[in-house]
Amino acid sequence: AVLDALAWAVESGEGLIKVVGEVGSGKTMLGRMLASRLPEHIEVVYVVDPGLGPEEVIPAIAFELGLEADATDHLATRHRLYEALVERHAAGRQVVVFIEEAQNMPLQTLEALRLLSNLETDDSKLLQLVLFGQPELDANLDANEIRQLRERITTRSTSSRWCGAMWRST
């Protein structure tokens, strides 16, 4: 049921999705199963290094999309990423970024991700984010500095075991 709900949220273009579970509850497996289940027009990008700083996360996403990423020219890299997302959208493609171990990301990096979620057309987001993390992610998201990110989370899944998962779409 959780996998179906996550697939629906991604396919329908829900902006920001949060998946929280204890160590060993199967978050990574759930993400891989979700990626394999999504239609071909949805491109999944993985960010597996939670230690990335805010100046590194955009080049990392650009790199994973096969773009030239200049870690020293943040504006140019952000512009290249935006152009690539617009091109993919025009071609009927959708991009979703899976963030592993999101509880370990610096708050400034989470804020940089929120700013990426601002990239949109008149009718849809150009980039979706799925945050996978342990319960400490919830505590981090309670920080006042990133309340705008917290408020953009449209879909949440929380459980210590996915077989008895609690699902809530807001």
Side-chain angles (χ1 to χ4, degrees), residues 14-18 110-111 114 117-118 125 129 131 137-138 140-156 168-170:
E14 293 284 324
L16 201 112
I17 300 164
K18 179 185 72 160
L110 290 170
E111 175 61 11
R114 180 193 67 84
S117 74
N118 287 339
K125 295 281 186 189
L129 301 171
L131 303 174
L137 177 59
D138 286 329
N140 293 348
L141 291 173
D142 283 340
N144 194 44
E145 305 95 282
I146 58 169
R147 69 183 180 279
Q148 292 176 314
L149 174 74
R150 180 180 59 243
E151 291 171 5
R152 287 193 183 174
I153 296 172
T154 58
T155 308
R156 298 166 168 79
R168 183 175 68 177
S169 181
T170 54

Side-chain angles (χ1 to χ4, degrees), residues 56-72:
E56 299 166 315
V57 72
I58 292 172
I61 292 170
F63 177 80
E64 292 298 325
L65 286 170
L67 305 175
E68 293 284 328
D70 182 351
T72 62

Side-chain angles (χ1 to χ4, degrees), residues 10-21:
V10 170
E11 290 177 44
S12 66
E14 293 284 324
L16 201 112
I17 300 164
K18 179 185 72 160
V19 178
V20 172

Side-chain angles (χ1 to χ4, degrees), residues 82 86 116-127:
Y82 177 72
V86 168
L116 277 182
S117 74
N118 287 339
L119 301 176
E120 57 188 25
T121 65
D122 290 339
D123 60 350
S124 66
K125 295 281 186 189
L126 293 175
L127 186 73

